Amino acid sequence: MLKIIIRGLFPLFLLFIFGCSGKSDVTLTAVSSEWNIEIFYKVVEGKYREIPSIQYIGKKPIGPEVKLDIIYKNNSATTNTLSGHNYLGMQMKVLVTRSEVDDWKDVETVKITWNNAEGNFEETLIPKAKQSDNTEQNSTPL
């Protein structure tokens, strides 16, 4: 009887092992005239660990605080706040917030909020897998 149970469970075990190993690391990018965003998803224990990076590529000085929200399809978000940086000429900065998600495809948009001498700004970008050059954006002054 034990052999029958083991024979029945063995194929399910193999399916689980090989089905879960199909995940691979992915990088999403979102670029506008002001921002370069990369979100690296590293597979860790069957989930994706989110490692976001940001770079200001605009030409105008901006205020000391920048907020980056990674928004998912279920309307939840991971928020990263940068403050006190000199953003002009800034290299890509890896952010400290780490979230774990089941699937990187659940990322819907990234929203960046900042200000400068002209006022407050918010930009929403749709990230794409790195091999894609197409980016959609929607910039809205607040």
Side-chain angles (χ1 to χ4, degrees), residues 54 65-69 79-82 111-114:
I54 188 169
E65 186 169 293
V66 173
K67 188 168 101 173
L68 171 70
D69 294 312
T79 300
N80 294 269
T81 303
L82 289 83
K111 181 174 78 172
I112 306 112
T113 308
W114 76 99

Side-chain angles (χ1 to χ4, degrees), residues 79-116:
T79 300
N80 294 269
T81 303
L82 289 83
S83 59
H85 292 280
N86 178 7
Y87 298 101
L88 290 175
M90 179 175 94
Q91 297 298 315
M92 185 67 80
K93 178 166 180 55
V94 178
L95 304 176
V96 296
T97 303
R98 300 285 183 268
S99 297
E100 287 191 359
V101 296
D102 291 328
D103 195 342
W104 62 268
K105 293 176 185 173
D106 289 339
V107 173
E108 193 166 74
T109 59
V110 292
K111 181 174 78 172
I112 306 112
T113 308
W114 76 99
N115 65 20
N116 64 21

Side-chain angles (χ1 to χ4, degrees), residues 15-48:
L15 180 63
F16 176 76
I17 295 297
F18 290 111
C20 291
S21 65
K23 291 184 175 182
S24 60
D25 297 348
V26 174
T27 300
L28 299 182
T29 61
V31 180
S32 72
S33 61
E34 305 285 329
W35 299 99
N36 182 14
I37 308 295
E38 285 190 359
I39 309 167
F40 178 62
Y41 288 93
K42 179 167 183 60
V43 177
V44 177
E45 297 179 5
K47 291 196 170 233
Y48 289 99

Side-chain angles (χ1 to χ4, degrees), residues 118-136:
E118 297 170 5
N120 296 322
F121 293 88
E122 179 180 287
E123 189 164 23
T124 301
L125 305 171
I126 299 172
K128 302 289 184 192
K130 192 167 188 165
Q131 63 270 17
S132 174
D133 289 337
N134 296 333
T135 57
E136 297 177 35

